[in-house]
Amino acid sequence: MGSEYFIFYTEANLVCVTILAILLLNNRIYGTQRETQVWFNRAIIAFMLYFVSDIGWAAVLSGQLPRTRLLIILFNLSNYILLSLMAIQWFMYMAASEKMPFRKERKKQLLCYLPMCVSALVIVIAYITAPLYWISERNELNGLYYPMMIAAPILYLLTAFLLSVINARKAQSRDEKKMDWMIGIFPLGVMVAGLIQMFSLNAPIFCFGCTVMLLFFYIQHMQTMISVDPLTRLNNRGQINRYMDQLHYRENVRVYLMMIDIDRFKEINDTYGHAEGDQALILVAETLKEACEHFKASAFLGRYGG
């Protein structure tokens, strides 16, 4: 590993940092400060900081910085903490998306950081009491270091994956299932990219893999925000218009159009309040989704207005 490796690795990480910075900036400008958005932004920041720290470790590996014990400890401990923070932020994003009750309790939220803190403390104590156990006399990392390095992050990512799979199986609507699977697949992709990186240090697989996964998830999330009615989770009016425009370019396609109105809906709002009116709209939307799941032909559901 020489200067060419360092330049290539640095360029790759900086490209990924730039892409994530654009996503973060767009979120800050156009996004809302919802709980899920806050955790997603924190995850992006943790990924960016890790990629920057990883450049320093690449500089040590390539000989651009002296391979001293202090720098090895500094960059690896930094990478470990940031890697754990990445995993924690995504775990909390999953919890916020699924509205899990523990996320609202400060004590339980702090307990989520316990695995990271304990494993970091073990690594620090091991460096002090038995430095050769982790780093050899030739200043090379021993094999047992890597399992310890990824233990806590994998714990968070696996938990997020398993809980998302469970929630996807319980979800009633197709949109909820899709979102749960996307949240669950992300940590799985991160783990796969990380394992490939461990066995192929000559290529920045981890930074590219994580950035592609985040970019894909962000695009899918924004597409949902743009095209889906936030209350009923049906396609919104703009998406209906786009779908109808597409029909002009399809030949020999038989289309049936149905417009539905809820009788005496105003009485629900006037008698029980708009909150109950919203629940009535959600109930109608879920009923329509359930009914259309049995159709052999594809069905397009949307909320036109009202």
Side-chain angles (χ1 to χ4, degrees), residues 99-137:
K99 296 180 173 58
M100 293 183 171
F102 75 86
R103 76 192 197 284
K104 291 292 186 180
E105 299 181 30
R106 187 64 177 172
K107 290 183 179 179
K108 291 183 178 179
Q109 195 177 115
L110 290 174
L111 282 175
C112 292
Y113 289 83
L114 189 61
M116 181 195 78
C117 296
V118 170
S119 55
L121 186 62
V122 169
I123 291 175
V124 171
I125 293 174
Y127 277 138
I128 296 171
T129 59
L132 293 180
Y133 186 76
W134 298 105
I135 304 175
S136 68
E137 294 179 349

Side-chain angles (χ1 to χ4, degrees), residues 152-165:
I154 283 186
L155 175 64
Y156 291 118
L157 293 174
L158 273 178
T159 304
F161 168 72
L162 293 174
L163 289 176
S164 295
V165 170

